[in-house]
Amino acid sequence: MPNRDAPDPDGPNRKAPNLKAVVREIADEMRQRTDRGEVASYIPELARVDAGAFGMAVIDANGNIATGGDSDVPFSIQSISKVFTLTLALGKVGDRLWRRVGREPSGSPFNSIVQLERECGIPRNPFINAGAIAVTDLILSGHQPREALGEILRFMQFLADDASITIDNAVAASEQRTGFRNSALANYMKSFGVLDNPVDYTLGVYFHHCAIAMTCRQLATAGRFLAHLGRNPDTGMSVVPPERARRINAIMLTCGHYDGSGEFAYRVGLPGKSGVGGGILAVAPGKASIAVWSPGLDAAGNSHLGRVALEALTKRMGWSIFGQ
Ligand code: DON
């Protein structure tokens, strides 16, 4: 017979896990792991990054921040920038954006071109490279490339409440020299009339916003509006309406990790967006904004230990959106 009076360690009165201790614990565990994945090398400048780096920052609903490892070392945010360009473009053109870009998972690698032909140059979603290039093109329209880039950078600085955030020009130049795939994608879309601006201009802005460098702490701060119905709970400043925040989170969940999105949802259970710099921004709605960085990637181009660390975090904190 179970003893009804004994406290149930998993019951409603169980002690809430201590976030700071959990994050420190995970950072220590990740430091010791030897399975780190492969650092991206198709952008030569990214291959110079220390594969042993690991950082994590978690900001809860009250603004408490828990950090571990290299949480204050800037890294190339790469495709994580696509979350913020999508936010900006939706602000600029609203639902008209969906005439240019779909919102279905692609089940293909981030730089794939195969679906574009069958689907008349309309990219599957805003997070694969083709989709993000189409989104950048919308932001660029009516501006000079320098102005559009300035707008994106200032948006990041505003969200992260940190004017020191900059673009790593060496990374941008490195990708510009070697970005033949992206050139192919952009030219292909241009042939279908999906891009309005000169291909070189759109790609220039795209490569540079991918090359924004941020720390885990800055990125977690920038993502807070997605965790809290479109508002920064500290300042009360509204970035997007609640409905838009919910929808961006939905696209992050279904498309944020390309053909690894199913696995990420299965293991971590949070909306998340990865970048080939090894960063992941993840959102626990109502609970926390999380940034993690480990440069080694898995076969789908997503941070290997970043995913492992997030899996450990959601498990220990009970934060999966699908239940504990
Ligand atoms: O366009 C590219 O290939 C890079 N600037 C961004 C790709 C990326 O981050 C894929 N994510 N894991």
Side-chain angles (χ1 to χ4, degrees):
M1 272 287 277
N3 176 356
R4 285 172 194 278
D5 298 330
D8 172 1
D10 290 324
N13 296 326
R14 71 156 190 234
K15 233 175 125 227
N18 179 310
L19 177 63
K20 289 196 180 191
V22 168
V23 169
R24 259 197 313 269
E25 211 171 83
I26 293 173
D28 287 345
E29 287 165 20
M30 295 306 120
R31 278 235 173 268
Q32 283 159 33
R33 300 261 305 221
T34 50
D35 56 322
R36 305 197 86 85
E38 295 287 321
V39 174
S41 56
Y42 76 98
I43 302 173
E45 194 66 20
L46 290 184
R48 296 158 47 113
V49 173
D50 172 15
F54 178 86
M56 192 169 199
V58 185
I59 309 182
D60 73 12
N62 299 318
N64 301 311
I65 178 156
T67 56
D70 305 310
S71 57
D72 287 313
V73 178
F75 61 90
S76 194
I77 66 169
Q78 291 297 322
S79 288
I80 303 172
S81 62
K82 297 170 181 175
V83 174
F84 302 97
T85 49
L86 173 64
T87 306
L88 271 178
L90 283 169
K92 189 173 172 191
V93 302
D95 280 343
R96 268 197 295 132
L97 181 136
W98 304 117
R99 293 188 199 156
R100 298 278 178 102
V101 188
R103 43 175 192 264
E104 291 295 342
S106 67
S108 310
F110 62 87
N111 55 5
S112 169
I113 199 166
V114 287
Q115 278 164 348
L116 270 185
E117 179 166 24
R118 231 180 306 121
E119 298 174 7
C120 301
I122 304 289
R124 269 292 169 101
N125 67 64
F127 292 155
I128 52 172
N129 285 4
I133 292 167
V135 167
T136 301
D137 187 72
L138 286 171
I139 296 174
L140 175 56
S141 287
H143 301 278
Q144 291 301 316
R146 189 175 288 280
E147 294 166 352
L149 194 57
E151 191 178 333
I152 297 167
L153 183 62
R154 279 191 298 277
F155 188 50
M156 295 310 308
Q157 293 171 337
F158 160 71
L159 292 175
D161 192 22
D162 193 334
S164 73
I165 294 167
T166 53
I167 293 169
D168 184 334
N169 284 312
V171 170
S174 178
E175 185 166 15
Q176 206 138 23
R177 273 195 301 274
T178 56
F180 305 113
R181 281 263 194 153
N182 284 324
S183 277
L185 293 170
N187 280 293
Y188 203 65
M189 287 190 286
K190 183 80 177 168
S191 77
F192 281 101
V194 172
L195 302 187
D196 292 330
N197 298 284
V199 165
D200 286 353
Y201 284 19
T202 302
L203 282 176
V205 177
Y206 171 79
F207 291 142
H208 281 80
H209 75 62
C210 285
I212 292 173
M214 289 172 75
T215 67
C216 286
R217 186 190 295 266
Q218 290 166 335
L219 202 52
T221 307
R224 290 192 78 199
F225 75 99
L226 292 171
H228 304 288
L229 302 170
R231 291 167 69 244
N232 179 323
D234 278 355
T235 61
M237 292 266 259
S238 171
V239 180
V240 293
E243 178 172 90
R244 184 161 294 161
R246 176 165 56 77
R247 289 176 160 168
I248 294 170
N249 287 336
I251 301 167
M252 286 172 74
L253 182 77
T254 51
C255 311
H257 284 71
Y258 320 106
D259 46 343
S261 298
E263 185 72 5
F264 188 82
Y266 179 84
R267 289 184 176 275
V268 176
L270 295 180
K273 182 73 211 81
S274 63
V276 283
I280 302 176
L281 172 66
V283 174
K287 299 196 169 75
S289 172
I290 307 154
V292 61
W293 172 51
S294 172
L297 308 178
D298 62 19
N302 303 314
S303 173
H304 170 61
L305 285 188
R307 198 262 296 141
V308 172
L310 286 169
E311 186 176 359
L313 181 76
T314 50
K315 196 164 171 191
R316 289 174 210 182
M317 297 306 295
W319 278 353
S320 165
I321 61 169
F322 301 110
Q324 302 197 0

